[in-house]
Amino acid sequence: MAEGAEALAASVRDFVSGQQDGRAAELAAGLKDGSWTILQLVEALGFCLENTDPRTRGRGIQLLSQVLLECHSLLQEKEVLHLVLFYENRLQDHHLVIPSVLQGLRALSLCEVLAPGLAVSVLKAIFQEVHVQSLLQQDRYTVYSIITNFMASREEELKGLGADFTFGFIQVMDGEKDPRNLMVAFQIVRDLILKNYALGPFVEELFEVTSCYFPIDFTPPPNDPHGIQREDLILSLRAVLASTPQFAEFLLPLLIEKMDSDLQSAKLDSLQTLTACCAIYGQKELQEFLPSLWSSLRREVFQTASEKVEAECLSALHALSACLSRSVLSSDAEDLLDSFLSSILQDCRHHLCEPDMKLVWPSAKLLQAAASASLRTYHRLTHSILPLLLEQYNKHSQSSQRRTILEMLLGFLELQQKWGRVEEDESALLSLQETICSVVFSALTDPNVQLQLVGIRALTVLGSLQGFLSPSDLELVVDHLVRLALHEEDSQSSEAAMEAAGSLAPVYPEVFSGRMVPRLGEELQSEREEEEEGSRDLHSLRQRCLQALAAVSTHTSIVRETVPVLLQHLRKVQKGSEAGNAQNVISACRSLHRVALQCQQDAEGCWYYHRAVVPCLLAMAVQAATQESSHPLVSKALLEEEVLTAMVPVISAATTHLSPELAAQSVSHVVPLFLDGEVSFLPQNSFPCSFQPFEDGECLEPQRRLVSLLMAFVCSLPRNVVIPQQERLLRELLALSCSCNCPFTATAASKCFAGLVNKHPAGQQLDEILQLAVNRMEPGLAEGPHRTQALTLLLWVTKALVLRYHPLSSHLTDKLLGLLSDTELGPTAADGFSLLMAESPDVLHKGCHADVRIMFRQRFFTDNVPKLVQGFHGAGADVKANYLKSLSHVLNHLPKPVLVTELPTLLSLLLEALSCSDRVVQLSTLSCLQPLLLEAPQIMSLHIDTLVTKFLSLTSSPTMAVRIAALRCAHALTSLPTTVLLPYKARVIRALAKPLDDKKRLVRKEAVAARGEWFLVGSPGR
């Protein structure tokens, strides 16, 4: 024991006299492990606590306080009592001692065993003995922390102090300037109010002590470690000011005064605070100030040049109107809402009638902001405004003025959507139904395109208002939409009409399927029977019919009507012989694809679509292929590459969202069709010869092309669907991909093989198939007539395995890296790296259920870029470009944060790639460098001379895309530090004058933007 006491005394002396601050932690550890008690520590401190030197006393109390902060949870109730009394007494000590005393009290405020009454005693002592605002920031923060701790744990005791606690805190906070302390102080004030502490006669004082900071104009110092932003203080203060209606009589005059300020920040803060206050205020608080508030809001909206201020004014007006709408009135009270809305109408209504229409939009915005507050305000204002707008529409004859009025009308119609069904007894809409419809329909027939577009939007809104349009109106709506979609010259109106039809079709499926679809079908039928003259117009009409049929297919019942029409059109096109057949089929496929996307989320519609479309497309394609095999002179539009490519997304979209059970049902028909020629499930399955796409024979080449459709189907199936005869199918695809002379067919077979391999469960079967593929590829790549096909297969299989992290992927990637030095296949192999890294549109992406692991690109980069760099340095001059192209493709698809970290080691190669004559390498490298200039300016600054020279040189490239990319990079250079750029400013501005006269508009546009930014380099305020 004696040794322990000596060690304790020695540690105390070291801390107090030897200024060894680390002893405090040792003493706290000793207290925790029981080496000594708090009483023994106090006794050991006796010599310094009674010392006449305030510095020595301060060190002693500092040591005790630091130990208590570590060990406050170990204290007993009696110990806490004595310590509190000691510390309260020390508050009267020398000012040098006070900071340490406050730290001790903060430790004690955290004690759970604090006896009742002590919290009040401590706060009273602080309020009486300490002039808080004369303390340093950290010590003031300690006082706020003590108050916060007590408010959290001793709320009822503090409330027993009544308004004295509020007054004491006001004295503590008064004059606070530090933002760190203000954040805590504002929270304390908010808690005082929200937790119903007694404010007594000190409401105004509490308001004054906080509102003196409004509006906040704090700007944090650079590299501020505390991270307090101006916005944090603004929100914290606003939470206080908008926390109680008791502040209203003081706050509202202040807000009105600040709204009239010349500072935009003050205006915005005032308006946002007013909006926040309206959530808790009632009519009583607002009554006296409503005229002044409305006057300020009106003036700002009418006069401001700031969109931000205008938007906040409108939000505040909305909040005021909502607040007045919520207030419950006694029978004899004045209805402030009615008088407030009357003021708004009185000041805004006449502007809607002015011939020059200068203040039309500000007035309309004010009216709409108030009308959107509640159903009551909406009815009150629309009863007055809607008839006026309709009258003004008919009064004005100019399309531009009519458009403005109709847009205002549309704003009020859109507000009605918020309240749902149109109520018969109150709504001004129903009483004006006929007039509104007449105005909207007249806009649809106006020759002015902009007026038509507003009319179409209005029509969409009217259609969405349940019960507003009568059956005869709906028929007229459909007629207008058909006319605009098909026959309106301007494509904007046509597209808008189709979008409107798509929006309204789910609301009125019977009307659209019974009236619009037959009309479109008739148009499609009749235009095919027209004479050849005017064929361009007919082609445009046909296109629009197909687009409209797709656009309106937004409901399952309509899909059942439109799909047969589209398929019937396809069949007729297939039988035709005109030159544009391929384009017609592609247009029909695009429409079918859009329908597929629109019904994917509806299981019933998706299955109907799949059963109707997939067999039909396959039947038509098989018919064309078998006819071509036996009668080569028959029209073969369906066998052209672009047509089959257009059919792929249709079949894929029809398959991806099938349930596993339905997909299994479908796959049991499709796979036997390709493997065994089983055509019984196809409609109209009488074909000129058997369908054998995997058999040998030159005459079967047309049939082999249809493997692309097999790919679209099987590669889009969910992963858990079992594919019948999968091993046989994989072997057939492998053989076809390596031996077919047609690049299109070979690529389709390779993609199909890769898509199946990617989803194949791991195991012996997969290993055998992959080994078979490697055995076929390696000889094919070495020599022979099918090297390109073997390379295509290698690329797709590598991608399939890279995506799923298969171990064989590294072996295949090495094989690909080796081909970069091949003079014949090297450029194609280099382009293949783009295929490996990019998102594939038809197979091997998540949308078709492929096995895609996260961060596969980063992994590929880590494993292979060092090999690419090494290969580049060891390659001959004739193949170096292949390595640069590969590297450029990999980096271009890499997430930018990863690329930035690797940039220092790779930048020299990227700069060398800019000197490569290959346009693809140039474009890919420029696309890679542009974001890096913005995200890694310090690294890029080191190479500024090379970058400027290369970019300016490429602005004269013969390829437009390269010129545009180079100009964008020259523009991005301006994000580098000004000191780096200034020596090059004159040279760049001079060089960028040439592309200003480029023959391509897009190049000129980029040149103007880049040159303008370079002119500003070094200018003040930039």
Side-chain angles (χ1 to χ4, degrees):
M1 283 294 286
E3 290 178 8
E6 286 177 16
L8 175 61
S11 294
V12 169
R13 277 195 303 275
D14 288 344
F15 183 93
V16 174
S17 305
Q19 302 292 315
Q20 296 181 24
D21 291 351
R23 295 296 185 190
E26 295 173 12
L27 289 167
L31 196 63
K32 287 177 183 176
D33 62 25
S35 300
W36 42 73
T37 64
I38 192 69
L39 178 61
Q40 289 172 322
L41 175 60
V42 172
E43 287 173 347
L45 282 166
F47 80 93
C48 57
L49 296 180
E50 295 170 356
N51 197 294
T52 55
D53 181 12
R55 289 179 180 79
T56 305
R57 292 201 304 279
R59 284 292 286 179
I61 295 173
Q62 182 185 349
L63 174 59
L64 179 59
S65 297
Q66 286 185 13
V67 171
L68 289 177
L69 281 168
E70 291 287 325
C71 308
H72 60 82
S73 59
L74 305 176
L75 298 177
Q76 304 296 318
E77 184 176 337
K78 188 172 282 188
E79 292 171 337
V80 172
L81 172 63
H82 289 299
L83 286 166
V84 166
L85 293 174
F86 165 72
Y87 273 111
E88 283 182 5
N89 181 263
R90 291 296 92 194
L91 284 173
Q92 301 172 14
D93 204 333
H94 193 278
H95 68 88
L96 291 174
V97 178
I98 300 301
S100 300
V101 176
L102 291 173
Q103 287 292 352
L105 288 172
R106 180 164 77 89
L108 295 172
S109 71
L110 297 167
C111 291
E112 294 179 9
V113 294
L114 195 72
L118 287 183
V120 170
S121 174
V122 168
L123 289 179
K124 279 185 173 179
I126 290 174
F127 293 159
Q128 289 172 9
E129 304 296 342
V130 183
H131 183 247
V132 175
Q133 288 307 314
S134 66
L135 301 174
L136 294 174
Q137 177 273 325
Q138 189 177 354
D139 303 325
R140 302 199 303 275
Y141 188 89
T142 304
V143 174
Y144 295 125
S145 299
I146 294 168
I147 296 171
T148 302
N149 294 340
F150 282 145
M151 287 180 76
S153 60
R154 310 283 159 170
E155 184 177 331
E156 293 308 315
E157 286 182 41
L158 301 192
K159 285 182 177 177
L161 270 172
D164 289 346
F165 175 56
T166 303
F167 180 67
F169 175 73
I170 290 170
Q171 287 182 306
V172 166
M173 182 185 172
D174 192 10
E176 181 60 68
K177 289 184 176 65
D178 192 277
R180 291 164 287 180
N181 294 349
L182 284 173
M183 290 293 290
V184 186
F186 289 155
Q187 185 58 49
I188 293 172
V189 177
R190 190 159 183 260
D191 288 342
L192 280 174
I193 294 164
L194 296 182
K195 293 181 179 178
N196 297 314
Y197 282 79
L199 304 184
F202 304 115
V203 173
E204 186 173 359
E205 284 77 3
L206 188 61
F207 172 77
E208 291 294 340
V209 85
T210 50
S211 66
C212 62
Y213 302 101
F214 183 86
I216 298 285
D217 61 355
F218 167 70
T219 302
N223 305 318
D224 180 21
H226 309 293
I228 296 175
Q229 300 297 315
R230 179 171 174 271
E231 192 64 22
D232 300 326
L233 287 166
I234 287 173
L235 294 175
S236 190
L237 176 57
R238 185 176 302 151
V240 171
L241 297 178
S243 61
T244 174
Q246 295 181 71
F247 283 168
E249 61 179 302
F250 316 113
L251 177 60
L252 290 175
L254 176 64
L255 294 181
I256 292 168
E257 177 194 333
K258 298 300 180 186
M259 275 188 228
D260 298 340
S261 163
D262 293 332
L263 285 174
Q264 180 173 311
S265 58
K267 288 180 192 286
L268 291 172
D269 203 352
S270 304
L271 291 163
Q272 289 163 355
T273 305
L274 174 61
T275 302
C277 290
C278 287
I280 60 162
Y281 286 4
Q283 289 204 5
K284 184 180 76 171
E285 287 78 25
L286 293 171
Q287 183 169 6
E288 181 186 345
F289 306 99
L290 274 177
S292 300
L293 287 169
W294 164 239
S295 175
S296 295
L297 293 173
R298 182 192 65 215
R299 187 188 63 253
E300 287 301 326
V301 172
F302 281 172
Q303 296 178 4
T304 187
S306 165
E307 289 183 11
K308 285 184 183 177
V309 172
E310 181 186 272
E312 293 301 339
C313 283
L314 297 175
S315 296
L317 180 59
H318 171 93
L320 279 171
S321 303
C323 176
L324 296 174
S325 302
R326 279 195 310 270
S327 301
V328 179
L329 295 174
S330 57
S331 56
D332 58 342
E334 178 192 356
D335 185 358
L336 279 181
L337 176 64
D338 196 56
S339 59
F340 183 60
L341 295 179
S342 296
S343 299
I344 296 174
L345 280 170
Q346 181 182 341
D347 290 339
C348 294
R349 197 173 186 276
H350 65 278
H351 290 304
L352 304 181
C353 308
E354 290 175 355
D356 57 1
M357 303 184 90
K358 274 185 183 175
L359 293 174
V360 160
W361 269 118
S363 300
K365 287 175 182 177
L366 287 166
L367 289 163
Q368 286 168 8
S372 64
S374 68
L375 192 55
R376 195 172 149 211
T377 60
Y378 179 77
H379 287 318
R380 172 75 175 81
L381 291 173
T382 51
H383 269 288
S384 173
I385 295 301
L386 290 187
L388 178 66
L389 290 176
L390 294 169
E391 177 193 327
Q392 290 297 309
Y393 182 90
N394 292 318
K395 186 176 171 184
H396 289 89
S397 56
Q398 288 184 14
S399 296
S400 59
Q401 293 175 324
R402 285 189 156 196
R403 175 192 161 200
T404 301
I405 294 164
L406 188 57
E407 281 184 326
M408 288 188 285
L409 181 64
L410 175 61
F412 285 101
L413 295 177
E414 285 172 337
L415 292 178
Q416 176 66 56
Q417 288 179 304
K418 285 177 64 176
W419 318 117
R421 188 177 178 84
V422 183
E423 299 294 335
E424 291 187 21
D425 53 342
E426 287 190 35
S427 176
L429 282 179
L430 284 181
S431 61
L432 299 166
Q433 177 190 11
E434 192 176 327
T435 318
I436 292 173
C437 287
S438 169
V439 161
V440 172
F441 291 152
S442 78
L444 298 178
T445 55
D446 194 277
N448 183 279
V449 173
Q450 297 306 317
L451 182 54
Q452 281 181 13
L453 292 173
V454 181
I456 292 168
R457 283 166 52 206
L459 194 66
T460 309
V461 174
L462 289 180
S464 68
L465 299 176
Q466 208 175 354
F468 184 81
L469 295 175
S470 65
S472 60
D473 286 334
L474 282 171
E475 290 182 0
L476 202 52
V477 166
V478 171
D479 292 344
H480 277 297
L481 290 177
V482 170
R483 176 185 59 77
L484 288 166
L486 300 186
H487 303 295
E488 177 55 46
E489 285 184 20
D490 189 87
S491 59
Q492 277 183 286
S493 294
S494 175
E495 288 167 14
M498 291 181 201
E499 292 301 321
S503 300
L504 295 176
V507 186
Y508 308 102
E510 299 85 3
V511 179
F512 279 85
S513 60
R515 192 170 181 89
M516 187 169 189
V517 177
R519 286 275 303 279
L520 293 172
E522 287 168 16
E523 290 279 2
L524 204 55
Q525 178 72 20
S526 63
E527 61 86 11
R528 289 196 52 78
E529 296 166 2
E530 296 279 344
E531 295 180 3
E532 283 301 307
E533 59 186 71
S535 59
R536 182 177 294 179
D537 292 340
L538 285 177
H539 177 70
S540 173
L541 180 60
R542 181 187 302 151
Q543 292 272 75
R544 287 193 177 185
C545 279
L546 294 171
Q547 290 169 1
L549 283 166
V552 80
S553 302
T554 49
H555 189 272
T556 304
S557 65
I558 302 175
V559 171
R560 291 177 181 274
E561 302 292 331
T562 55
V563 165
V565 175
L566 290 168
L567 293 177
Q568 181 64 25
H569 174 71
L570 258 182
R571 289 191 194 97
K572 289 193 174 182
V573 171
Q574 182 194 15
K575 292 173 184 172
S577 59
E578 64 222 53
N581 264 4
Q583 276 306 313
N584 292 337
V585 176
I586 291 169
S587 298
C589 286
R590 284 175 183 156
S591 292
L592 282 168
H593 182 232
R594 180 172 176 180
V595 177
L597 295 176
Q598 286 168 184
C599 65
Q600 277 180 340
Q601 303 308 319
D602 173 49
E604 180 193 346
C606 189
W607 179 232
Y608 163 77
Y609 181 90
H610 183 87
R611 281 181 305 146
V613 173
V614 173
C616 182
L617 288 181
L618 289 173
M620 285 191 282
V622 170
Q623 180 78 34
T626 51
Q627 275 184 341
E628 173 70 9
S629 301
S630 55
H631 306 90
L633 298 176
V634 175
S635 170
K636 53 178 183 178
L638 263 70
L639 300 177
E640 294 183 19
E641 286 183 20
E642 57 265 34
V643 172
L644 289 171
T645 304
M647 293 170 78
V648 165
V650 179
I651 294 174
S652 181
T655 309
T656 50
H657 283 65
L658 288 181
S659 67
E661 299 76 26
L662 296 176
Q665 189 178 325
S666 189
V667 78
S668 66
H669 296 302
V670 176
V671 173
L673 166 68
F674 281 85
L675 287 178
D676 305 315
E678 181 55 62
V679 297
S680 57
F681 82 102
L682 297 177
Q684 303 167 351
N685 52 22
S686 173
F687 302 118
C689 64
S690 59
F691 181 61
Q692 300 170 318
F694 291 115
E695 295 294 321
D696 290 332
E698 217 172 294
C699 64
L700 296 178
E701 177 56 40
Q703 295 187 17
R704 287 197 275 272
R705 283 171 166 263
L706 303 197
V707 168
S708 59
L709 303 186
L710 172 66
M711 172 203 77
F713 177 78
V714 295
C715 292
S716 301
L717 292 167
R719 254 186 274 176
N720 53 357
V721 173
V722 177
I723 297 173
Q725 306 181 69
Q726 184 170 10
E727 306 312 312
R728 178 186 164 196
L729 178 60
L730 283 165
R731 290 171 189 272
E732 296 283 15
L733 288 166
L734 183 58
L736 183 61
S737 64
C738 289
S739 61
C740 183
N741 291 321
C742 171
F744 176 79
T745 304
T747 302
S750 299
K751 288 161 80 172
C752 191
F753 181 83
L756 292 173
V757 161
N758 174 264
K759 296 181 189 177
H760 199 296
Q764 186 181 352
Q765 281 185 328
L766 177 62
D767 294 340
E768 289 174 2
I769 283 292
L770 289 173
Q771 190 56 52
L772 190 64
V774 171
N775 293 343
R776 289 294 294 266
M777 281 188 288
E778 287 185 342
L781 287 167
E783 57 184 1
H786 296 119
R787 292 188 75 197
T788 304
Q789 286 90 326
L791 174 58
T792 302
L793 178 63
L794 172 63
L795 285 168
W796 282 104
V797 173
T798 305
K799 183 177 178 72
L801 299 183
V802 164
L803 291 179
R804 62 180 282 177
Y805 290 176
H806 192 279
L808 187 62
S809 63
S810 58
H811 170 70
L812 297 182
T813 308
D814 289 343
K815 180 75 64 181
L816 199 56
L817 288 166
L819 288 171
L820 292 175
S821 57
D822 186 295
T823 51
E824 182 189 348
L825 293 181
T828 311
D831 282 329
F833 280 82
S834 176
L835 185 151
L836 295 180
M837 299 293 282
E839 187 84 8
S840 175
D842 43 11
V843 294
L844 296 177
H845 60 87
K846 287 185 178 178
C848 63
H849 313 289
D851 186 356
V852 181
R853 304 297 175 88
I854 60 169
M855 297 199 295
F856 77 89
R857 291 183 178 88
Q858 288 90 317
R859 180 169 176 166
F860 187 87
F861 170 85
T862 306
D863 292 346
N864 297 294
V865 165
K867 298 176 186 175
L868 275 172
V869 174
Q870 185 181 351
F872 170 80
H873 290 304
D878 55 334
V879 293
K880 276 186 181 288
N882 296 337
Y883 288 90
L884 287 175
K885 186 187 287 190
S886 307
L887 180 67
S888 181
H889 284 316
V890 172
L891 299 182
N892 205 21
H893 290 95
L894 198 66
K896 292 303 174 276
V898 179
L899 184 52
V900 168
T901 59
E902 302 290 337
L903 190 57
T905 56
L906 296 172
L907 189 54
S908 58
L909 276 177
L910 282 172
L911 294 175
E912 191 161 345
L914 289 177
S915 302
C916 180
S917 59
D918 190 306
R919 304 297 175 219
V920 176
V921 178
Q922 291 173 354
L923 189 58
S924 181
T925 308
L926 289 168
S927 303
C928 183
L929 286 172
Q930 186 194 347
L932 294 176
L933 288 164
L934 304 174
E935 293 173 31
Q938 298 306 321
I939 300 170
M940 303 300 275
S941 296
L942 303 174
H943 301 269
I944 181 68
D945 192 67
T946 310
L947 289 169
V948 168
T949 304
K950 301 281 189 188
F951 293 160
L952 293 181
S953 168
L954 289 173
T955 58
S956 304
S957 166
T959 307
M960 182 181 84
V962 173
R963 296 201 300 277
I964 289 175
L967 286 165
R968 285 177 178 164
C969 286
H971 189 166
L973 279 174
T974 58
S975 63
L976 302 186
T978 303
T979 51
V980 174
L981 298 177
L982 281 174
Y984 301 91
K985 179 176 177 180
R987 174 185 165 192
V988 173
I989 290 172
R990 203 163 45 247
L992 290 181
K994 185 182 175 186
L996 291 177
D997 294 325
D998 197 279
K999 60 185 177 181
K1000 295 292 186 181
R1001 181 183 61 83
L1002 293 176
V1003 177
R1004 296 195 300 272
K1005 178 183 171 187
E1006 294 296 339
V1008 168
R1011 197 163 185 256
E1013 202 62 36
W1014 271 93
F1015 268 114
L1016 295 175
V1017 168
S1019 59
R1022 184 180 178 274

